[in-house]
Amino acid sequence: MAKDIEEISTVLKDYLSPAPAPQTRWQQFKDSFKPPIPEGEGQRGDLEKFQEEDEGAGGLKRQLKNRHVQMIALGGSIGTGLLIGSGGALHIGGPAALLISYGVTSIMVLFVVYSLGELCCAFPVNGAFSTYANMFVDESWAFAVGWNYAMMWLFVLPLELVAATMCITYWNDEINPASWVAIFYVFVLLVNIFGVKYYGEAEVVLTLVKLMAIIGFIILGVVLVCGGGPTHEFIGAENWHTKKGAFTNGFKGVASTFVTASYSMGGTEMVGLTAAEVENPRKVLPKAIRQVFWRIFLFYFLSLTFVGLLVSAESDKLLGASGTSASPFVIAIQNGGIHALPSIFNACILISVLSVGNSAVFGCSRTIQNLGTQGLAPKIFAYVDRSGRPLVGLGISFAFGLLCFLSAYHDEGTIFAWLLSVCGLATIVAWINIALCHVRFRLAMRKQGRSLDELTFVSFTGIWGSIYSIAFLIFVLVVQFWTALFPMGKGANAENFFKNYLGAVVITVFYVAHKLYSRKWRIWKKLDDIDLDTGRRSVDLDLIKMELEEEKAANRQRPLVIRIFKYWC
């Protein structure tokens, strides 16, 4: 009886007590930086919701919607590599070498992204690359790959911000570049500090601008090549028949452009980092992965075809291959006799550069947070606040971003060249890691008697696509070694070698150091020891198969044109 009275009095007390005053938006914003609701506090329903959202995400919020991931996959990292760096590749290799290197590299990237899509749909976990390395290869390999990838994005942010100031000097070079750097730095900081949802929205807008600019350039390219520009000059393929021809430096020129093409396509793997923050990975990620095909076809192959037709590889403007004045896209428009459009396209380049800087903060902070979660970095690095922001990762990224103010220094180019050399091979190593993890995953599935029917997305290239990718990337590393040691038109050069190949030394040091620390001398895990269930959001195979059959049945009822559109777009 006394117990019943006590319970009734407790209920009445809770009912009659005044409701807490609603929080102001400023107070809500401050509280969002606090740790997530710990177990035992708050309402049980809130705790269960938090635990469900956190499954596989490491505390990150699944707030990226379909449109966010589609735009990140389409053009989230299109920046200086394509819009500016391709000019240097054109000058070194020639128009034919440009298409060959970018075409072959594109096929490899497509295979790698499909392999990544298979892994991400099966294991939509935080940190993708280093997590998969830990799951399917080895802890030391995960440590080396993860930190090398994080370091790359740490230095990409200040580099992209400085490139943004170069875009401004196209119009006005009298203002101190440090002032423009400060504005761009604050913009990137605000976008990321408000959470992943705002990062996604920013990428939607910025990528739409890039998409319209590239498509507009392709249409303009058709007009100019056919003689429809202000000069009414039929260009055709005359730039393929110059004194040096379509190949300006023979095989060595082609080999050098392979390296440039690989760097230009860096960031394609960024869609994998979104896996832990996507609302429905099983449905959203496959469509985003397929859209990489359009990114490669539109952004790279078609646009660079017209660049090679409109700009001569012998153009003096391509010699520097730095700054927006060296952008082959702007040069092509200027050569066509159009006066206002170069400034408009230069503004698009500025937007692209800011987009890559934005992606650099996202990629770096998530990778650092994941390294902390796996125990490959101090535990504090794993901290994620109530809004799903990896605060320590963001703080480190913004701290290194302050290097952008070196743009006011007279010899900032040399400083940035050496900073970038530390992680210059990070993208190639990340791609090798993805392909290797996919091979190990497939071999473990076969060894443990698991069927591919339990996968919601299967790479159409299978295990052989990943094997081809590894072989091709090893070839690129060998070519990079050759061109770094013996630069174009020069003898052996130690300084040039370390500027271009120091990243290989750094990742080797990371790997060996972790082996010495952990004293685990195995090269990789045994296939029988690989855990194929932990990290999967759903392991109810019957439910997955039933959902897939329902989707296929509904799709068969649609017209063929709609089915093709739904699959690729």
Side-chain angles (χ1 to χ4, degrees):
M1 184 69 178
K3 186 177 181 181
D4 293 338
I5 294 174
E6 184 179 351
E7 289 180 357
I8 293 172
S9 64
T10 302
V11 171
L12 288 174
K13 183 178 179 181
D14 292 339
Y15 180 77
L16 296 174
S17 60
Q23 289 184 321
T24 62
R25 288 189 176 183
W26 173 244
Q27 186 61 42
Q28 290 175 352
F29 178 71
K30 289 196 299 182
D31 288 346
S32 69
F33 291 94
K34 295 179 180 179
I37 302 172
E39 188 170 358
E41 293 184 15
Q43 296 180 354
R44 181 176 177 81
D46 292 339
L47 177 60
E48 290 175 352
K49 182 181 178 182
F50 165 74
Q51 290 173 337
E52 182 180 351
E53 289 179 348
D54 185 61
E55 183 181 358
L60 302 175
K61 298 292 184 182
R62 297 188 183 272
Q63 294 179 337
L64 286 178
K65 300 184 182 298
N66 183 39
R67 67 177 185 277
H68 300 149
V69 182
Q70 305 305 321
M71 287 302 171
I72 292 171
L74 263 178
S77 59
I78 296 292
T80 53
L82 171 65
L83 299 174
I84 298 176
S86 58
L90 175 62
H91 172 71
I92 293 172
L98 191 68
L99 288 185
I100 291 172
S101 60
Y102 274 83
V104 175
T105 305
S106 295
I107 295 172
M108 178 275 301
V109 169
L110 192 64
F111 290 175
V112 167
V113 172
Y114 265 79
S115 300
L116 176 62
E118 183 177 305
L119 292 172
C120 287
C121 290
F123 304 93
V125 296
N126 174 32
F129 320 126
S130 59
T131 302
Y132 297 148
N134 205 345
M135 291 169 63
F136 303 120
V137 186
D138 175 63
E139 190 179 42
S140 298
W141 176 246
F143 178 83
V145 170
W147 273 112
N148 197 241
Y149 192 75
M151 287 175 63
M152 179 192 74
W153 288 120
L154 280 176
F155 295 130
V156 164
L157 175 60
L159 284 167
E160 294 295 328
L161 293 179
V162 171
T165 64
M166 294 177 182
C167 295
I168 296 294
T169 57
Y170 180 86
W171 298 293
N172 188 329
D173 58 358
E174 296 178 359
I175 301 176
N176 190 320
S179 58
W180 292 116
V181 162
I183 294 172
F184 300 143
Y185 179 85
V186 171
F187 169 78
V188 173
L189 186 149
L190 290 176
V191 167
N192 283 271
I193 206 68
F194 280 105
V196 68
K197 182 180 178 181
Y198 291 90
Y199 163 75
E201 294 293 349
E203 283 305 302
V204 168
V205 175
L206 296 176
T207 301
L208 278 174
V209 173
K210 288 189 279 187
L211 186 63
M212 290 187 291
I214 296 294
I215 293 175
F217 176 81
I218 292 170
I219 296 172
L220 177 65
V222 175
V223 174
L224 294 178
V225 167
C226 296
T231 61
H232 300 290
E233 177 186 358
F234 178 77
I235 298 173
E238 67 179 38
N239 285 320
W240 283 59
H241 301 286
T242 58
K243 185 178 179 181
K244 291 187 177 181
F247 297 93
T248 56
N249 285 291
F251 176 72
K252 194 167 187 178
V254 177
S256 297
T257 57
F258 273 115
V259 177
T260 305
S262 299
Y263 291 156
S264 297
M265 295 186 187
T268 310
E269 72 287 342
M270 280 285 291
V271 68
L273 289 179
T274 66
E277 297 175 84
V278 176
E279 285 185 344
N280 192 338
R282 188 182 72 78
K283 291 187 177 180
V284 173
L285 288 177
K287 183 176 283 190
I289 294 297
R290 295 187 190 108
Q291 286 193 346
V292 172
F293 168 80
W294 293 112
R295 171 180 174 173
I296 289 171
F297 183 68
L298 282 176
F299 285 175
Y300 291 103
F301 191 76
L302 279 183
S303 63
L304 291 178
T305 296
F306 287 106
V307 164
L309 290 171
L310 294 169
V311 182
S312 171
E314 299 175 12
S315 172
D316 293 338
K317 296 178 182 179
L318 292 175
L319 290 176
S322 62
T324 50
S325 61
S327 169
F329 293 83
V330 175
I331 294 170
I333 298 171
Q334 289 174 334
N335 291 345
I338 303 174
H339 299 293
L341 202 54
S343 290
I344 296 174
F345 203 88
N346 187 67
C348 294
I349 294 176
L350 171 62
I351 290 172
S352 300
V353 168
L354 289 176
S355 174
V356 176
N358 197 30
S359 297
V361 175
F362 177 84
C364 178
S365 59
R366 270 60 184 178
T367 304
I368 288 177
Q369 189 271 340
N370 174 252
L371 289 168
T373 302
Q374 295 184 80
L376 302 177
K379 191 175 181 180
I380 188 63
F381 284 24
Y383 178 77
V384 176
D385 65 20
R386 197 168 293 179
S387 290
R389 290 175 296 237
L391 285 185
V392 177
L394 288 173
I396 293 173
S397 185
F398 288 130
F400 273 80
L402 293 173
L403 291 172
C404 63
F405 289 100
L406 286 173
S407 59
Y409 180 60
H410 66 88
D411 197 22
E412 81 281 0
T414 302
I415 295 174
F416 282 125
W418 280 105
L419 289 176
L420 195 59
S421 69
V422 174
C423 46
L425 301 177
T427 298
I428 294 177
V429 172
W431 289 343
I432 290 175
N433 174 59
I434 292 168
L436 177 61
C437 289
H438 183 246
V439 171
R440 297 278 299 163
F441 168 66
R442 283 292 190 93
L443 292 176
M445 291 276 287
R446 184 183 304 172
K447 180 74 172 178
Q448 298 181 25
R450 305 284 285 267
S451 172
L452 296 181
D453 293 337
E454 63 185 76
L455 302 178
T456 58
F457 178 81
V458 179
S459 171
F460 76 96
T461 62
I463 193 172
W464 292 108
S466 295
I467 293 173
Y468 161 79
S469 299
I470 294 172
F472 176 81
L473 288 166
I474 291 174
F475 164 74
V476 172
L477 287 176
V478 173
V479 166
Q480 171 75 334
F481 182 90
W482 177 40
T483 56
L485 189 59
F486 300 99
M488 195 73 61
K490 301 178 183 178
N493 188 313
E495 181 180 349
N496 186 78
F497 173 78
F498 282 107
K499 275 187 178 181
N500 288 275
Y501 223 74
L502 185 59
V505 178
V506 172
I507 197 167
T508 303
V509 169
F510 275 144
Y511 181 79
V512 173
H514 192 273
K515 281 292 181 191
L516 293 172
Y517 173 77
S518 64
R519 300 192 179 278
K520 296 178 181 178
W521 306 111
R522 66 185 182 189
I523 298 177
W524 47 48
K525 296 180 179 179
K526 294 181 180 179
L527 296 177
D528 289 324
D529 295 336
I530 292 177
D531 187 353
L532 297 175
D533 294 318
T534 301
R536 301 187 68 166
R537 202 174 186 191
S538 174
V539 291
D540 190 341
L541 303 184
D542 293 332
L543 178 61
I544 290 174
K545 290 178 182 178
M546 186 171 63
E547 289 180 355
L548 289 174
E549 287 300 323
E550 289 176 356
E551 290 174 7
K552 290 178 182 178
N555 195 43
R556 283 193 290 268
Q557 303 300 319
R558 296 174 176 150
L560 179 62
V561 176
I562 300 298
R563 276 185 280 168
I564 294 173
F565 179 81
K566 286 284 186 182
Y567 183 85
W568 289 107
C569 299

